């Protein structure tokens, strides 16, 4: 097989892959028609309060029987009576609503929406109606008062900031019932961390035991998707968005929004977590490992919206009179930082969804991170990754180019065979294979390195699009975002030139005129296709093509020198 045919094979694979992605986006499953189309979220400081949604409070467990009609349910018209508590750390700007004591807004200060304006951060959580995504907690009990996520809490102040030199910041809220039951809900924020510790301390001053459960839930509408052109240059169009959970037994599972009604979740597990995922960022409730919780999903209606809910429901806790006990859990609200997530909870790094190529993409990401620690530039890390892969495949590539060089040397003899047999392709092919065997040439030798690199190429594609570490990462000069296309198309043009040079050095025995025309247009087609790829991916393929071209030229030159010496 000639060197140009592997390029054609690669192009067909790439085109097929991206056409399939575009088809999935345009004609695949969609969220239910009842879902409102969300708009971009407002900032954490400006989002308005949203009325509570009926039907999103779970029933108490068997130990607590049913949810009581208690003071935890707000009176009609009181849903907007909560105060807004502003919380600022070095990485988060959060808002807690005293109506329910829920986290209703969160800005990720280190992640701007646009790299040219770092004053506008990503708004991950928001209780604005069109971009609703909040983290809620509540208590339910049988016959005893318990504050659910709609109850009104009180607060000492409405503005908290992490003090200079301090590592933690506690934000307490209090709910008190006339029966003597007091609940103190506390959020603990940490410096340089997106992980928030939460606890609900139940103090029972009543004369009878209090028994109840805590539930933690994430409730949202689907994230907004603003089309930015071609599907394969717009990861927002096909990145997974929906619920996910993890258990030691079943490992990582996920549920798209349009599957909530058909495949609702209900499972008991210990040592797991529940989450809502979107591109680059997510939120997750992580209960204590030592307890067995129940994970569920629900679809709830609010106004004209369909909202999707994933919930973690704790075991029952009994608090004797004159005692205080606490429910504890952790809440993660932030980026999908693979290097740290598994340290927070097992399997949490799997929220970075590489799909079927995870087994290749995860090691590639690890290698890239290690290389980045050496050079402090993601573009240089990609170049070093290419060099590493070329070293690993050196012998294979060397055999490929030696085979191609020998085939080029045989090209005059192959042309003579073609003239001898004319249009009798069967005899021509038989004679050509006999010649290859005589000269010990493997005509398929040019394909194997390309076949090996195709899954690496697609895996790196997912790494570049899904790894938040590479989001808006600059290289040098005109490339200030490796996850976006090259703005001046320099890398696609360089890649086309490398392809042209490789074609010039490659043999093309027996190629029919139609195939020859296709191969002549290949560099242009590749340049057009790569013009819409992330610059980091095109950088990888351009450097790989340049190094392959250099290796091909050196081997071809050496064989030519050897032939000239043999003739003399």
């Amino acid at each position: 097989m000639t060197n140009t045919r592997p390029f054609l094979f690669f192009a067909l694979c790439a085109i097929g892959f991206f056409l399939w992605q575009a088809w999935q986006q345009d004609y695949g499953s969609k969220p239910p028609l009842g879902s409102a189309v969300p708009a971009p979220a407002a900032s954490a400081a400006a989002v308005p309060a949203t009325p509570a949604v009926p039907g999103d409070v779970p029933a108490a467990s068997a130990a607590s029987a049913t949810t009581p009609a208690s003071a935890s349910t707000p009176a009609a018209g009181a849903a907007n009576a909560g105060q807004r508590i502003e919380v600022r750390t070095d990485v988060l700007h959060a808002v807690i609503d005293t109506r329910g004591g829920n986290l209703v807004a969160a800005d990720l200060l280190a992640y701007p929406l646009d790299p040219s304006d770092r004053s506008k951060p990503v708004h991950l959580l928001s209780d604005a109606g069109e971009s609703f995504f909040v983290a809620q907690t509540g208590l339910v009990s049988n016959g005893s008062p318990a504050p659910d996520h709609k109850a009104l809490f009180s607060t000492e102040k409405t503005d908290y900031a992490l003090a200079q030199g301090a590592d933690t910041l506690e934000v307490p809220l209090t709910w008190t019932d006339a029966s003597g039951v007091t609940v103190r809900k506390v959020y603990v924020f940490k410096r340089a961390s997106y992980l928030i510790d939460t606890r609900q301390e139940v103090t029972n001053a009543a004369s009878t035991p209090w028994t109840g459960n805590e539930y933690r839930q994430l409730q949202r509408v689907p994230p907004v998707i603003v089309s930015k052109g071609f599907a394969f240059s717009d990861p927002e169009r096909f990145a997974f968005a929906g619920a996910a959970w993890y258990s030691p037994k079943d490992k990582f599972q996920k549920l798209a929004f349009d599957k909530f009604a058909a495949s609702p979740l209900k499972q008991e597990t210990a040592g797991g977590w529940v989450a809502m995922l979107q591109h680059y960022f997510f939120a997750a409730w992580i209960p204590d490992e030592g307890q067995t919780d129940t994970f569920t999903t629900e679809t709830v209606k609010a106004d004209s919206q369909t909202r999707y809910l994933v919930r973690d429901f704790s075991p029952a806790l009994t608090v004797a009179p004159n005692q205080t006990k606490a429910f504890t859990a952790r809440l993660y609200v932030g980026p999908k930082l693979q290097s740290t997530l598994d340290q927070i909870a097992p399997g949490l790094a799997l929220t970075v969804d590489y799909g079927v190529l995870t087994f290749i993409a995860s090691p590639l990401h690890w290698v890239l991170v290690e290389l980045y620690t050496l050079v402090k530039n993601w573009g240089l890390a990609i170049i070093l990754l290419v060099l590493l892969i070329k070293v690993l495949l050196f012998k294979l590539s060397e055999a490929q180019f030696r085979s191609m060089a020998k085939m080029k040397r045989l090209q005059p003899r192959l042309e003579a065979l073609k003239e001898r047999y004319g249009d009798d392709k069967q005899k021509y092919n038989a004679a050509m294979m006999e010649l290859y065997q005589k000269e010990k040439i493997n005509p398929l030798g040019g394909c194997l390195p390309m076949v090996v690199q195709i899954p690496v190429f697609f895996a790196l594609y997912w790494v570049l699009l899904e790894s938040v570490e590479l989001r808006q990462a600059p290289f040098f000069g005109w490339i200030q975002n490796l996850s976006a296309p090259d703005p001046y198309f320099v890398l696609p043009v360089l890649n086309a030139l490398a392809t042209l040079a490789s074609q010039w050095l490659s043999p093309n025995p027996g190629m029919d005129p139609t195939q020859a025309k296709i191969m002549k247009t290949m560099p242009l087609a590749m340049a057009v296709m790569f013009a819409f790829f992330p610059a980091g991916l095109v950088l990888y393929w351009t450097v790989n093509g340049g190094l392959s071209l250099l290796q091909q030229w050196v081997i071809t030159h050496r064989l030519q020198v050897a032939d000239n010496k043999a003739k003399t």
Side-chain angles (χ1 to χ4, degrees):
M1 183 175 287
T2 66
N3 187 46
T4 50
R5 288 175 182 169
F7 279 103
L8 179 60
F9 176 64
F10 165 77
L12 290 174
C13 289
I15 291 171
F17 175 74
F18 294 116
L19 283 176
W20 175 81
Q21 282 190 331
W23 186 91
Q24 284 289 101
Q25 173 61 32
D26 295 335
Y27 301 104
S29 56
K30 304 287 184 182
L33 294 176
S35 300
V37 178
S43 69
V47 288
T50 301
V53 180
D56 57 353
V57 179
S61 67
S64 303
T66 58
T67 307
S70 68
S72 65
T73 304
N80 288 321
Q83 292 179 285
R84 316 287 281 185
I85 303 174
E86 302 277 343
V87 184
R88 295 175 180 83
T89 73
D90 55 332
V91 295
L92 282 173
H93 176 201
V95 172
I96 299 170
D97 193 341
T98 58
R99 173 62 65 186
N102 304 312
L103 191 63
V104 296
D107 291 353
L108 309 183
L109 302 180
Y111 294 90
L113 290 169
D114 189 325
S116 62
D117 185 3
R118 302 193 66 85
S119 65
K120 297 179 180 179
V122 167
H123 315 304
L124 181 54
L125 300 186
S126 168
D127 64 350
E130 294 182 340
S131 54
F132 191 88
F133 183 12
V134 299
Q136 302 167 328
T137 59
L139 301 179
V140 289
S141 176
N142 173 36
S144 298
D148 59 22
H149 70 277
K150 305 171 189 178
L152 186 62
F153 285 76
S154 62
T155 181
E156 296 176 357
K157 57 182 182 178
T158 58
D159 201 313
Y160 290 83
L162 184 66
Q164 187 173 3
D167 292 326
T168 60
L169 171 65
E170 287 199 0
V171 180
L173 300 93
T174 304
W175 176 90
T176 302
D177 186 74
S179 65
V181 176
T182 300
V183 176
R184 186 171 180 263
K185 182 182 287 191
V186 182
Y187 290 88
V188 182
F189 295 83
K190 305 171 186 176
R191 182 173 297 278
S193 177
Y194 300 96
L195 188 64
I196 305 166
D197 292 337
T198 68
R199 66 180 185 269
Q200 293 206 69
E201 302 168 351
V202 181
T203 299
N204 185 12
S207 59
T208 58
W210 181 96
T211 300
N213 308 79
E214 181 184 36
Y215 63 93
R216 309 119 187 164
Q217 59 194 29
L218 298 164
Q219 187 176 155
R220 72 169 302 165
V221 295
V224 68
I225 299 175
V226 180
S227 179
K228 300 176 183 176
F230 289 89
F232 48 80
S233 63
D234 185 7
E236 295 285 350
R237 292 181 61 184
F238 50 82
F240 176 80
W245 61 94
Y246 179 89
S247 69
K249 179 182 178 182
D250 298 325
K251 305 304 179 184
F252 176 74
Q253 303 288 326
K254 59 185 181 181
L255 185 67
F257 293 122
D258 60 310
K259 304 296 184 184
F260 265 57
S263 305
L265 166 68
K266 186 174 184 180
Q267 98 176 29
E268 292 186 352
T269 187
W273 46 263
V274 296
M276 280 287 188
L277 310 184
Q278 66 184 56
H279 191 226
Y280 287 135
F281 309 103
F282 76 110
W285 278 110
I286 309 165
D288 289 344
E289 293 184 9
Q291 66 187 38
T292 300
D293 288 41
T294 303
F295 296 166
T296 56
T297 57
E298 270 187 49
T299 303
V300 295
K301 298 289 184 179
D303 300 325
S304 60
Q305 290 182 323
T306 298
R307 295 179 183 171
Y308 302 90
L309 180 152
V310 62
R311 177 184 295 131
D312 163 47
F313 193 78
S314 80
L317 178 71
T318 298
V319 184
N322 300 316
Q323 284 190 350
T324 297
K325 290 187 178 181
F327 296 93
T328 60
R330 294 177 294 164
L331 173 64
Y332 184 89
V333 180
K336 298 177 181 178
L337 294 169
Q338 297 175 71
S339 58
T340 61
L341 290 179
D342 276 343
Q343 300 172 18
I344 296 173
L348 203 60
L350 295 174
T351 53
V352 183
D353 188 14
Y354 295 135
V356 296
L357 292 174
T358 297
F359 72 101
I360 299 175
S362 291
L364 276 180
H365 178 269
W366 181 84
V367 172
L368 269 177
V369 170
E370 294 300 312
L371 293 174
Y372 174 78
T373 59
L374 295 175
V375 296
K376 303 302 180 184
N377 183 287
W378 287 108
L380 291 178
I382 291 172
I383 293 174
L384 291 177
L385 177 65
V386 177
L387 291 172
L388 181 59
I389 293 175
K390 295 300 289 184
V391 169
L392 294 175
L393 299 178
F394 179 80
K395 287 297 182 181
L396 194 61
S397 298
E398 185 179 36
Q400 169 197 8
F401 293 130
R402 284 187 179 276
S403 176
M404 288 162 45
K406 290 178 180 178
M407 288 174 67
K408 186 172 184 179
R409 186 173 55 185
L410 292 178
Q411 194 162 354
R413 296 168 65 180
L414 291 170
E415 291 295 336
L417 288 176
K418 188 174 183 180
E419 292 180 5
R420 180 187 304 176
Y421 294 106
D423 294 333
D424 194 339
K425 292 186 177 181
Q426 185 175 358
K427 289 185 178 180
Y428 169 74
N429 288 332
M432 182 173 61
M433 294 305 297
E434 183 179 351
L435 180 61
Y436 285 160
Q437 291 176 2
K438 181 180 178 180
E439 297 295 331
K440 298 180 180 179
I441 295 175
N442 180 9
L444 298 177
C447 284
L448 188 55
M450 182 69 70
V451 170
V452 170
Q453 289 201 60
I454 284 176
V456 174
F457 175 86
F458 288 129
L460 185 63
Y461 170 78
W462 281 108
V463 168
L464 291 173
L465 293 188
E466 291 294 322
S467 298
V468 70
E469 295 91 339
L470 288 159
R471 177 182 180 267
Q472 300 177 355
F475 181 36
F476 292 124
W478 73 99
I479 300 178
Q480 293 300 308
N481 186 354
L482 287 167
S483 61
D486 183 338
Y488 300 111
F489 311 115
V490 175
L491 291 177
V493 170
L494 291 177
N495 182 75
L497 293 176
T499 305
L500 276 173
S502 180
Q503 286 188 2
W504 179 76
L505 286 175
S506 302
N508 56 354
M511 186 178 293
D512 59 64
T514 301
Q515 189 178 9
K517 289 180 181 178
I518 293 175
M519 300 317 300
K520 287 180 181 178
T521 61
M522 180 63 64
L524 178 61
M526 296 288 283
V528 172
M529 186 168 63
F530 279 150
F532 302 100
F533 276 30
L537 190 68
V538 185
L539 175 64
Y540 168 87
W541 202 251
T542 301
V543 174
N544 178 77
L547 291 174
S548 297
L549 179 63
L550 177 62
Q551 189 178 10
Q552 183 181 4
W553 181 85
V554 169
I555 291 174
T556 302
H557 179 70
R558 286 178 178 175
L559 288 177
Q560 288 177 347
V561 171
D563 286 345
N564 292 335
K565 287 183 178 180
K567 291 177 181 179
T568 59

